[in-house]
Amino acid sequence: MAERPDLDYALPILAEALSGRVIEEVVVKDPVVLRLMEEGTPEELLVGQRVTSLARRAHFAHFGLSGRDLLIAPMLAGRFDLGKRGGRRRKDTVFVLGLGDVELRYRDDVRMGKVYVCPHERWTDIPGLGTLGLDALDPDVFTLDAFSARIRKRRDQVRLFLMDKSEVDALGNAYADEVLFEAKVHPKTRCNKLSDAQVEALHRAVPAVLAGAAAELEARQPPLDEKLRDFLKVRNRKGEPCPRCGARIRVAGVRGYDSFFCGSCQRDGGSSGLIDWSRVGR
Ligand SMILES: [Zn+2]
């Protein structure tokens, strides 16, 4: 899934390549990803539009155009790619904008992402963008008080809270697991059962994990269409040794999503009814 660090890395590169350019061509390879929030065809709505701004909104890339807005949520498998106009496109390309000699390609081999076209100021009507959570990398906003006030109101599993983009801007599946690992909190712990020390640990871990990922991407400069994840400590590492204690990384389902964690350093605390893995051996 393209998450905040991926978008924070990719968007300045896209802005550099596309800002000020005019859309001359639109190719919709798979209309299933497209959501038009005004009357008209994609060509009528997009051709002739100039790219004026580019910003991240939760897990969306928000292209400000001269007459309307274009927002793309890459979701599970979506990725951006820049290419030469008329050059060879990968098979998983679903949406293309031609701007001068450059092409912006949106690739998504599972078609779970969405491309929205909407009038200015209507982007907040897009599902998931009505209310944005605390910006985790703005220390003036993401204070311990503000974070505690939000997490203390919830009774559901802490991983669901962390992934709720109306609460925290923004963590997806991969970085929620990394934050829980960093804070040594079991993913199924109920928010109302967290100790003050655990809330403080989570509050420290959220920006630390996101900033760490941002620094990693910045240092390694991966190609735009590559999702660099090899530095993650627990995500997709089932059965591998925990980098902190050596116990094996386990997987639990939280509302249908896999959550990766260390059963030894992320203790359940008895609040979720899970087996205490540390007692049944490794
Ligand atoms: Zn461990």
Side-chain angles (χ1 to χ4, degrees), residues 258-269:
D258 282 344
S259 177
F260 295 78
F261 66 101
C262 172
S264 180
C265 32
Q266 289 166 268
R267 293 299 178 83
D268 180 21

Side-chain angles (χ1 to χ4, degrees), residues 6-282:
D6 307 309
L7 289 172
D8 284 346
Y9 170 73
L11 295 195
I13 297 172
L14 295 179
E16 167 101 25
L18 304 176
S19 284
R21 287 184 182 259
V22 174
I23 299 169
E24 294 165 1
E25 183 189 12
V26 183
V27 182
V28 181
K29 289 271 192 195
D30 190 339
V32 77
V33 300
L34 199 61
R35 299 283 183 281
L36 303 179
M37 293 165 65
E38 9 175 9
E39 292 289 319
T41 64
E43 290 73 23
E44 287 164 353
L45 294 172
L46 293 172
V47 171
Q49 295 284 320
R50 183 180 299 274
V51 178
T52 58
S53 64
L54 187 47
R56 185 188 58 83
R57 311 282 181 199
H59 51 310
F60 285 73
H62 180 176
F63 297 79
L65 306 177
S66 39
R68 53 184 49 83
D69 288 346
L70 171 75
L71 290 100
I72 302 179
M75 301 302 288
L76 200 60
R79 58 195 68 201
F80 295 106
D81 206 355
L82 286 169
K84 255 180 88 155
R85 186 87 176 269
R88 211 166 141 261
R89 297 172 188 147
R90 302 275 189 147
K91 251 189 9 216
D92 58 1
T93 303
V94 289
F95 181 79
V96 180
L97 295 178
L99 310 96
D101 56 355
V102 180
E103 263 185 15
L104 170 67
R105 298 163 187 161
Y106 172 63
R107 294 166 48 193
D108 191 342
D109 58 5
V110 296
R111 270 68 163 163
M112 275 178 66
K114 297 279 179 289
V115 177
Y116 290 86
V117 179
C118 66
H120 286 320
E121 310 309 328
R122 283 275 316 276
W123 61 268
T124 51
D125 293 351
I126 294 170
L129 292 182
T131 311
L132 297 181
L134 300 170
D135 180 346
L137 290 177
D138 182 345
D140 293 334
V141 169
F142 195 76
T143 62
L144 179 58
D145 282 352
F147 181 76
S148 302
R150 284 168 183 253
I151 203 167
R152 288 296 180 207
K153 277 191 205 147
R154 302 269 296 239
R155 308 176 64 83
D156 53 351
Q157 294 168 348
V158 59
R159 190 170 188 275
L160 299 175
F161 167 82
L162 290 174
M163 288 183 59
D164 182 340
K165 281 140 191 97
S166 69
E167 300 277 19
V168 177
D169 177 16
L171 299 167
N173 278 294
Y175 288 103
D177 281 356
E178 296 296 302
V179 163
L180 289 162
F181 175 73
E182 185 69 28
K184 300 188 187 176
V185 173
H186 191 285
K188 291 198 172 199
T189 312
R190 303 261 162 203
C191 290
N192 54 328
K193 303 278 186 192
L194 290 165
S195 68
D196 288 344
Q198 285 179 313
V199 171
E200 283 169 34
L202 288 166
H203 173 255
R204 275 193 307 273
V206 172
V209 164
L210 287 175
E216 186 82 19
L217 294 175
E218 207 48 52
R220 291 167 64 182
Q221 301 275 321
L224 207 51
D225 62 339
E226 182 185 319
K227 233 170 278 176
L228 197 60
R229 288 287 164 81
D230 58 2
F231 57 89
L232 298 186
K233 292 177 179 156
V234 289
R235 185 70 192 169
N236 290 332
R237 295 200 184 278
K238 184 185 176 187
E240 292 182 34
C242 164
R244 199 158 42 205
C245 75
R248 277 204 303 274
I249 303 298
R250 300 184 178 280
V251 188
V254 177
R255 283 268 183 90
Y257 292 98
D258 282 344
S259 177
F260 295 78
F261 66 101
C262 172
S264 180
C265 32
Q266 289 166 268
R267 293 299 178 83
D268 180 21
S271 61
S272 71
L274 275 187
I275 298 162
D276 181 349
W277 293 105
S278 64
R279 289 181 194 215
V280 296
R282 289 161 192 168

